[in-house]
Amino acid sequence: RVLSLELNKDRDVERIHGSGINTLDIEPVEGRYMLSGGSDGVIVLYDLENLSRKPSYTCKALCSVGRSHPDVHRFSVETVQWYPHDTGMFTSSSFDKTLKIWDTQTLQAADVFHFEGTVYSHHMSPVATKHCLIAVGTKSPRVQLCDLKSGSCSHILQGHRQEVLAVSWSPRHEYVLATASADNRVKLWDVRRASGCLTTLDQHNGEKSKASSEAASTAHNGRVNGLCYTHDGLHLLTIGTDDRMRLWNSSTGENTLVNYGKVCNESRKGLKFTVSCGCNPEFAFVPYGSTIAVYTVFTGELVTMLRGHYSTVYCCVFQPNFQELYSGSKDCNILAWIPSLRESVPDDISEK
């Protein structure tokens, strides 16, 4: 199904945003509701289900936090995420230096966390049962952990030297967090440990640093602005402004040396890419200019380029129940990429 993804002529997503769409998230409970966040601070909530039962339909926007809403973000929304356990709550973070916790029913901000700098990325663990920490990457090199239960930013992880562009909790271990920074580094942390950092990923697997004067390990030769775990949490994909994507063994921290070729990436901020779920082989969907490049995760093969947006693609999100993909772009559109169903071959016997 993934190999036959195409821009669907029968499915539209209602166009609400008047500016670029930076971030999308589909809730993991039913896989039915999607959030989008725009460069003008607007957040929209869509129902992806086809209620009309007609083959051709538009995914309706159910509600939105528009420019006139009292709690609207003042600047660009960079990340939206559903609360992983139910659809009653979602989170958003923005260049206005805030992270907001929203009540879905009332569409009001139930809590607001303030930071000293621009917020590039935040993430809640999809599997945590013992903690309610939201990891936040900001202009500061310190990674902040905000506790939903106490409402305080209780915890700080120190080790990066420049701004933190992407953060992601492991889908396998609830206390393990990956962070990517403009200092070319990716760090893995166990948030229970006082020292924090478990390992700093090294693209040379320890080979080069012995000889070179540059002793500190780097994951990329450029800013690392994207992170994505595979669904089993055994591997981690990273993407950097050195036009490279790398696949790491998340338990050993080893670079698996899969070669994806040149993965053009000029983003000045976090890049939101994603992986498939429940497919064999697994695929990575990476915004690539005005297209989306689809790679096989473990062989590095570029399978196809999905073309349809008129401008830079900022984000994409995978819907695992039906193997669908949704993408958001600077062109203000959200596009639905649906597996094309082959025409059924007429059955001779039934005709007779």
Side-chain angles (χ1 to χ4, degrees), residues 116-158:
E116 282 167 21
T118 303
V119 184
Y120 289 105
S121 168
H122 78 271
H123 193 231
M124 272 180 287
S125 167
V127 293
T129 53
K130 300 186 184 70
H131 72 77
C132 280
L133 297 172
I134 305 178
V136 186
T138 69
K139 218 169 179 64
S140 152
R142 299 196 303 256
V143 181
Q144 315 259 354
L145 298 178
C146 299
D147 192 337
L148 264 187
K149 283 202 176 85
S150 68
S152 72
C153 278
S154 52
H155 215 92
I156 283 170
L157 304 176
Q158 302 207 34

Side-chain angles (χ1 to χ4, degrees), residues 167-199:
V167 295
S168 180
W169 292 94
S170 160
R172 195 176 188 86
H173 305 290
E174 66 173 296
Y175 292 105
V176 174
L177 175 71
T179 59
S181 164
D183 64 7
N184 301 10
R185 290 176 178 81
V186 174
K187 289 180 179 288
L188 300 180
W189 315 79
D190 181 332
V191 299
R192 293 167 301 185
R193 288 171 42 153
S195 61
C197 189
L198 289 171
T199 179

Side-chain angles (χ1 to χ4, degrees), residues 27-233:
E27 44 84 17
V29 184
E30 292 177 80
R32 172 174 172 180
Y33 299 104
M34 181 169 74
L35 290 166
S36 62
S39 335
D40 54 0
V42 171
I43 298 170
V44 184
L45 196 165
Y46 306 87
D47 185 349
L48 300 179
E49 193 145 313
N50 181 4
L51 299 172
S52 71
R53 299 276 174 261
K54 296 192 182 95
S56 152
Y57 74 102
T58 299
C59 301
K60 288 286 181 214
L62 296 179
C63 54
S64 68
V65 179
R67 293 301 314 151
S68 57
H69 191 288
D71 295 330
V72 70
H73 280 291
R74 293 205 319 282
F75 303 128
S76 173
V77 174
E78 290 300 305
T79 314
V80 289
Q81 190 194 2
W82 286 101
Y83 179 61
H85 308 295
D86 68 61
T87 54
M89 186 162 86
F90 65 89
T91 54
S92 64
S93 60
S94 159
F95 278 179
D96 68 9
K97 308 180 186 178
T98 64
L99 162 69
K100 296 189 178 186
I101 317 299
W102 299 86
D103 178 322
T104 314
Q105 296 321 113
T106 63
L107 219 61
Q108 284 171 334
D111 208 349
V112 182
F113 294 92
H114 295 271
F115 301 93
E116 282 167 21
T118 303
V119 184
Y120 289 105
S121 168
H122 78 271
H123 193 231
M124 272 180 287
S125 167
V127 293
T129 53
K130 300 186 184 70
H131 72 77
C132 280
L133 297 172
I134 305 178
V136 186
T138 69
K139 218 169 179 64
S140 152
R142 299 196 303 256
V143 181
Q144 315 259 354
L145 298 178
C146 299
D147 192 337
L148 264 187
K149 283 202 176 85
S150 68
S152 72
C153 278
S154 52
H155 215 92
I156 283 170
L157 304 176
Q158 302 207 34
H160 282 299
R161 296 171 191 180
Q162 289 185 44
E163 51 196 4
V164 178
L165 298 172
V167 295
S168 180
W169 292 94
S170 160
R172 195 176 188 86
H173 305 290
E174 66 173 296
Y175 292 105
V176 174
L177 175 71
T179 59
S181 164
D183 64 7
N184 301 10
R185 290 176 178 81
V186 174
K187 289 180 179 288
L188 300 180
W189 315 79
D190 181 332
V191 299
R192 293 167 301 185
R193 288 171 42 153
S195 61
C197 189
L198 289 171
T199 179
T200 301
L201 299 184
D202 175 17
Q203 58 183 313
H204 304 294
N205 289 334
E207 293 302 314
K208 183 167 177 248
S209 53
K210 294 173 193 145
S212 82
S213 56
E214 176 66 24
S217 322
T218 57
H220 286 266
N221 301 324
R223 299 194 318 278
V224 192
N225 58 355
L227 281 178
C228 189
Y229 274 98
T230 54
H231 276 269
D232 56 14

Side-chain angles (χ1 to χ4, degrees), residues 1-21:
R1 284 175 67 87
V2 170
L3 292 174
S4 63
L5 279 178
E6 61 175 35
L7 191 55
N8 192 297
K9 303 169 216 35
D10 297 323
R11 183 162 338 167
D12 256 342
V13 180
E14 193 177 349
R15 182 169 165 161
I16 304 284
H17 285 280
S19 69
I21 295 158

